[in-house]
Amino acid sequence: MILIAMCLISLGTLASQNRDITGKVIDKNSREPIPGVSVFVPELNRGVVTELDGTFSLGSMPERNITVQFSYIGYATQIEVVRLSTSNRQVVIELEETVSNIDEVVVSGAYIMSKESSPISIEKVSRDAILKMPSPSLMTSLTRTPGVNEISLGPGISKPVIRGLSFSRVLSVYQGARFENQQWGADHGLGLSETGIGNIELIKGPASIIYGSGAMAGVVNLIEDKDAAPGTVEGDVNLRGYSNSLGFRTDAGAKGASENGFLWSLRAAAESHADYLDGDGNAVGNTRFNTQNIKAGVGLRKKWGDTRLRYTYLRQNLGIIDEEDVSELVTNRGDRKVQLPFQDVRDHFINSETNIFVGEDRLKATFGYHFNFREEVEGSVDEVDLGLRQSNFMYDIKYAKELFPNVEAILGVQGFYLQNVNYEDANEYLIPDAKKDDRSVYFLLNYNKDKWVAQGGIRYDYRKVTADASADHIVDYGFLLPGEPADRTLTRTFDGVTASAGTTFRPNSAWRFRLNVAQGFRAPDLGELFSNGPHPGTNRFERGSADFVREQNIQSDFGVRYSRSNFSISGEVFYNHIDNYIFFAPTDDFVGDLTVWEFEQADARLYGGELELDIHPTAAKWISASTSYSMVIGQRRSDMSYLPYIPAFRWNQSVDFRLNNVGALKNPYISVLGSYIFDQNREAPLEEATPGYYLLGLNVGSQVMMGGKALDIYISGSNMLNKTYVDHLSLFRPFGVNQMGRNVALNVRIPF
């Protein structure tokens, strides 16, 4: 990998030149300069802020089109594409006052562009939004995004649901690389934290063309925090506490950049929670959890491009309730010590990203190596019931070339090699040892001129999966592969071609139309193909089928937005046609005292949409409001019966008040939030209907000036009415376990 990087650097040094972007940011109406505006180049993950006279300077820019985002509180974000192929460029940016920002730059769609211009539906959740209303689980913080939900097993274990699809259909991307940590398991969470994250982008819809198998439903892409400005060192400490679970989180880090282009960062976080209380004040035993997270990175930014090397360590101790007697695991209030049963999950992730600019073209190479250790302990703290050791190597190399002034092409190759091994001393075996080898090539084309953006792509994928149950400890246990092959190994291959096409039309500043048709696919995961054993912590015996074929879907999306100075309204509808949909369901069979759950495969359809309204009156800039409605219906196509794990319809509301500065309090605000979750009475066979409920939230915050530094203080409350309820997507639901009651969080961010 080092040799490849050196060769790429040599090529870039010969082929690239160096340009500067300088300019000034002013108020559109008063023509006065605006200091402190964030000037950010997402492609390079770097930026500056404007000086007192509104001026800025970005040096060492590559000789190509550069997308620059200008943002400042109280002003509409502006996105400017600056062409640097002929000379240095000076720009004058006019920002207009507004309360609502509907547009930002996104990077998850392969092309760096405005969110409103992207034919792919991408939502962006900023770091500030997470800090203003944090949750014990990062995934919970994302669920106010229309069309996004979570499947949970308590506050420490949750996984994403995008437009009704979940489990291995939603791909996680971390530091630019595909992230897998046994997400096939119903009780295996997202496995990522907010530490060191700048923002999160959510692709709603198939993204297999860009990211491969596993992105059939969409993508959760965690974007790293931006680099420090050249010649500076920045740092902060975040302190957070939660009232309900008596939880706390401490997060501290620093980053720096030298004038000659050397970059570094270091951040660590620790979080701990006791058992939570439901709306009736009852403790839910063993929902406690503890996490520790360390991140470090170094990089180099030169005329030829940039390169970064990062390391992440994450450990999670996650309690699991005993559904047969929830109250038995309740201990004294505030107790957060690990008790049986629990999961011990450790991740080591090493990643490198390199960008080489060759004239107006760009070569990007991403490599990652991931170790995941998962232990599920049920009977004794000295014994592992289920132990899995996973290692996987991934690569993504793509070349972006400007074919014409408004047409760019991307040609890429991706690969993923995963090896999963059972612990020899484990008491139980759910899946066999296995290897998974993915290889793919893809081609994308983007046209962007004036009012139109059009994208299209095609991709070929090949996957080989080999299950191996020949190890002595697996033989002695009695684990059997389907068909009981003599050599105790079984190989399956999956391959195919997928394609997508989409367009965005923006006839003027008021209207935006978006249409996208995309194929997605997903090869069955290891659990669906080969599981044949008890799953500790779930009281289930799980059984897969090696005869499953790959899931294939085609989804069409159509969206419209109309925006004026006082409001904006948007709507999106989608229809998802899925062949060979795999789902999990209980049977009437038992193995010992465990209910047998089997994977099934059938054709399905999902359809629905989201509607959003933002109101931001120009005559009263101190107030704004928004509301959104999202729905999805999932059915088998054979008999139109409903699919399991489909979220209820949801109606969100929020009202925001921006107050005047008071003494040391700067930019104070108050936000009132509500969510009405409707009855979910479209239950699958063997599921039960779930009654609806209403949740009220409240956020208060401000910057506080102390010693010349601006401290950010946020107080947020969720379920303020202390509602007792059960979420339809909770894995606790069949056992009548309620969700968390009233919870108040205090977050203080201290820069240094």
Side-chain angles (χ1 to χ4, degrees):
M1 179 166 35
I2 295 174
L3 180 61
I4 292 173
M6 290 177 65
C7 293
L8 295 178
I9 290 170
S10 299
L11 174 63
T13 304
L14 293 173
S16 295
Q17 296 186 32
N18 186 236
R19 304 291 184 186
D20 295 335
I21 301 176
T22 59
K24 188 174 186 177
V25 181
I26 63 174
D27 184 290
K28 184 176 181 179
N29 296 317
S30 69
R31 316 302 295 176
E32 293 293 322
I34 309 176
V37 175
S38 171
V39 184
F40 182 55
V41 182
E43 185 175 6
L44 305 176
N45 198 38
R46 55 179 293 200
V48 296
V49 296
T50 56
E51 304 290 343
L52 291 175
D53 59 357
T55 60
F56 67 91
S57 177
L58 287 164
S60 302
M61 293 288 108
E63 184 187 346
R64 69 192 312 268
N65 288 354
I66 295 295
T67 301
V68 187
Q69 176 175 290
F70 299 85
S71 55
Y72 190 66
I73 296 175
Y75 287 82
T77 295
Q78 187 161 324
I79 299 164
E80 182 85 6
V81 178
V82 182
R83 188 172 184 84
L84 292 168
S85 59
T86 56
S87 63
N88 294 340
R89 181 73 188 273
Q90 289 189 333
V91 296
V92 176
I93 302 299
E94 300 177 352
L95 296 188
E96 187 172 8
E97 282 192 276
T98 185
V99 172
S100 177
N101 278 317
I102 63 173
D103 205 4
E104 290 182 280
V105 171
V106 291
V107 301
S108 295
Y111 300 98
I112 297 171
M113 64 170 58
S114 154
K115 178 171 74 75
E116 284 296 289
S117 296
S118 172
I120 301 173
S121 180
I122 304 176
E123 297 293 339
K124 191 168 183 176
V125 180
S126 68
R127 170 71 172 162
D128 285 344
I130 295 173
L131 291 176
K132 287 180 178 179
M133 194 167 186
S135 298
S137 165
L138 173 62
M139 192 58 235
T140 304
S141 300
L142 307 179
T143 56
R144 284 195 65 83
T145 305
V148 177
N149 299 86
E150 65 174 335
I151 289 176
S152 66
L153 190 71
I157 305 173
S158 62
K159 59 203 315 157
V161 181
I162 298 180
R163 289 178 169 175
L165 295 179
S166 55
F167 296 97
S168 297
R169 301 176 186 89
V170 180
L171 187 68
S172 300
V173 176
Y174 181 66
Q175 296 178 348
R178 174 173 162 180
F179 186 92
E180 290 208 10
N181 66 338
Q182 312 279 7
Q183 65 262 44
W184 50 266
D187 60 332
H188 304 167
L190 178 67
L192 291 167
S193 77
E194 67 188 73
T195 308
I197 299 302
N199 57 76
I200 299 172
E201 294 181 0
L202 302 158
I203 298 181
K204 297 192 295 187
S208 298
I209 293 294
I210 306 167
Y211 297 101
S213 180
M216 194 178 85
V219 172
V220 178
N221 189 359
L222 279 68
I223 311 296
E224 289 294 293
D225 194 13
K226 67 180 180 181
D227 298 331
T232 65
V233 174
E234 305 171 15
D236 63 84
V237 175
N238 286 276
L239 304 175
R240 184 184 304 164
Y242 298 90
S243 66
N244 186 291
S245 60
L246 303 182
F248 65 84
R249 176 182 171 85
T250 303
D251 180 336
K255 58 185 178 181
S258 67
E259 295 288 357
N260 62 5
F262 178 73
L263 310 168
W264 63 271
S265 63
L266 179 64
R267 183 165 286 274
E271 188 163 359
S272 178
H273 292 262
D275 298 338
Y276 75 78
L277 306 179
D278 67 12
D280 293 327
N282 299 317
V284 180
N286 211 25
T287 53
R288 63 195 64 180
F289 67 96
N290 304 285
T291 67
Q292 299 89 41
N293 196 187
I294 298 173
K295 296 179 67 172
V298 293
L300 193 63
R301 187 168 58 213
K302 292 294 185 179
K303 295 179 180 179
W304 48 261
D306 59 77
T307 186
R308 291 169 177 82
L309 180 66
R310 303 184 180 99
Y311 167 74
T312 298
Y313 169 74
L314 176 63
R315 182 167 188 177
Q316 305 172 81
N317 289 124
L318 307 164
I320 303 174
I321 71 166
D322 182 352
E323 58 267 27
E324 294 180 352
D325 193 351
V326 177
S327 61
E328 184 177 299
L329 294 176
V330 176
T331 58
N332 60 292
R333 182 73 170 136
D335 183 9
R336 58 194 72 232
K337 295 179 181 178
V338 174
Q339 63 176 353
L340 298 171
F342 68 91
Q343 295 181 25
D344 185 352
V345 185
R346 285 160 289 157
D347 289 282
H348 300 267
F349 190 74
I350 303 170
N351 162 269
S352 73
E353 287 186 279
T354 301
N355 292 288
I356 305 295
F357 296 101
V358 185
E360 296 184 0
D361 302 338
R362 182 179 70 153
L363 181 65
K364 181 171 184 178
T366 303
F367 301 92
Y369 204 91
H370 182 195
F371 294 95
N372 174 260
F373 301 87
R374 179 175 292 275
E375 299 175 3
E376 299 190 9
V377 182
E378 190 172 24
S380 169
V381 293
D382 299 324
E383 298 179 355
V384 175
D385 289 276
L386 178 68
L388 297 170
R389 181 175 66 253
Q390 176 183 279
S391 62
N392 44 302
F393 169 73
M394 70 286 294
Y395 60 87
D396 183 0
I397 302 172
K398 52 192 170 189
Y399 190 82
K401 181 172 183 59
E402 187 177 40
L403 301 179
F404 306 103
N406 303 296
V407 179
E408 185 179 51
I410 295 179
L411 177 65
V413 293
Q414 283 180 350
F416 188 85
Y417 184 80
L418 180 148
Q419 186 171 13
N420 198 48
V421 179
N422 285 273
Y423 285 20
E424 291 186 16
D425 58 349
N427 292 331
E428 298 169 339
Y429 298 97
L430 173 61
I431 60 175
D433 295 345
K435 296 178 181 179
K436 185 164 60 175
D437 187 359
D438 284 15
R439 304 173 190 179
S440 59
V441 59
Y442 58 95
F443 177 75
L444 302 166
L445 203 62
N446 184 72
Y447 170 82
N448 189 347
K449 184 179 181 182
D450 300 329
K451 303 174 182 179
W452 287 94
V453 173
Q455 290 182 5
I458 189 168
R459 179 187 181 103
Y460 173 74
D461 282 270
Y462 171 83
R463 170 177 289 185
K464 180 180 179 181
V465 183
T466 302
D468 186 348
S470 63
D472 291 342
H473 52 281
I474 298 179
V475 173
D476 294 341
Y477 179 76
F479 185 94
L480 296 175
L481 288 171
E484 301 183 27
D487 63 354
R488 298 184 66 83
T489 64
L490 187 61
T491 298
R492 290 292 315 274
T493 60
F494 306 89
D495 71 331
V497 176
T498 53
S500 69
T503 186
T504 300
F505 177 51
R506 303 178 74 176
N508 51 49
S509 61
W511 288 98
R512 185 266 289 153
F513 301 90
R514 177 164 57 205
L515 175 66
N516 189 64
V517 179
Q519 279 185 305
F521 76 96
R522 185 181 70 90
D525 61 40
L526 298 180
E528 293 164 341
L529 288 171
F530 305 120
S531 60
N532 187 21
H535 196 160
T538 66
N539 279 350
R540 291 198 300 255
F541 189 97
E542 301 179 3
R543 185 175 292 148
S545 172
D547 295 328
F548 286 153
V549 297
R550 71 183 235 171
E551 293 181 342
Q552 185 79 46
N553 78 327
I554 182 167
Q555 179 170 316
S556 55
D557 298 80
F558 178 70
V560 180
R561 181 187 293 278
Y562 179 72
S563 179
R564 304 300 296 172
S565 59
N566 286 295
F567 73 96
S568 65
I569 185 170
S570 64
E572 293 201 17
V573 294
F574 68 91
Y575 183 85
N576 195 350
H577 185 92
I578 307 177
D579 292 331
N580 310 311
Y581 181 81
I582 300 173
F583 56 93
F584 204 27
T587 69
D588 295 328
D589 297 334
F590 287 84
V591 174
D593 59 351
L594 300 179
T595 301
V596 175
W597 284 61
E598 288 187 345
F599 290 97
E600 302 178 33
Q601 191 163 51
D603 295 338
R605 66 171 188 174
L606 293 95
Y607 59 94
E610 299 95 38
L611 181 66
E612 296 184 69
L613 172 65
D614 291 300
I615 302 172
H616 35 87
T618 56
K621 296 180 180 179
W622 52 273
I623 187 172
S624 61
S626 65
T627 184
S628 66
Y629 178 81
S630 55
M631 60 165 287
V632 59
I633 295 174
Q635 297 173 299
R636 299 192 202 190
R637 299 209 307 268
S638 58
D639 58 5
M640 293 304 165
S641 61
Y642 294 109
L643 297 175
Y645 293 113
I646 301 297
F649 298 177
R650 178 184 292 260
W651 175 32
N652 291 337
Q653 319 92 37
S654 69
V655 181
D656 302 309
F657 302 91
R658 296 172 57 200
L659 309 179
N660 294 326
N661 295 342
V662 180
L665 300 180
K666 306 297 182 183
N667 303 314
Y669 69 88
I670 299 174
S671 298
V672 181
L673 307 98
S675 292
Y676 184 79
I677 292 82
F678 292 81
D679 295 343
Q680 175 52 303
N681 48 23
R682 293 164 299 282
E683 68 274 15
L686 301 180
E687 271 192 339
E688 294 182 358
T690 307
Y693 50 90
Y694 184 79
L695 300 177
L696 179 67
L698 178 66
N699 295 344
V700 179
S702 175
Q703 287 186 325
V704 179
M705 302 304 298
M706 294 184 64
K709 296 286 187 178
L711 278 64
D712 295 310
I713 299 179
Y714 309 111
I715 302 174
S716 63
S718 59
N719 192 8
M720 295 299 291
L721 301 179
N722 210 26
K723 178 71 176 178
T724 301
Y725 71 99
V726 176
D727 189 278
H728 189 74
L729 297 186
S730 170
L731 296 174
F732 290 163
R733 177 177 53 81
F735 316 115
V737 176
N738 297 318
Q739 307 296 116
M740 184 180 291
R742 182 187 297 113
N743 187 30
V744 177
L746 170 64
N747 192 98
V748 180
R749 178 183 176 273
I750 308 169
F752 60 84

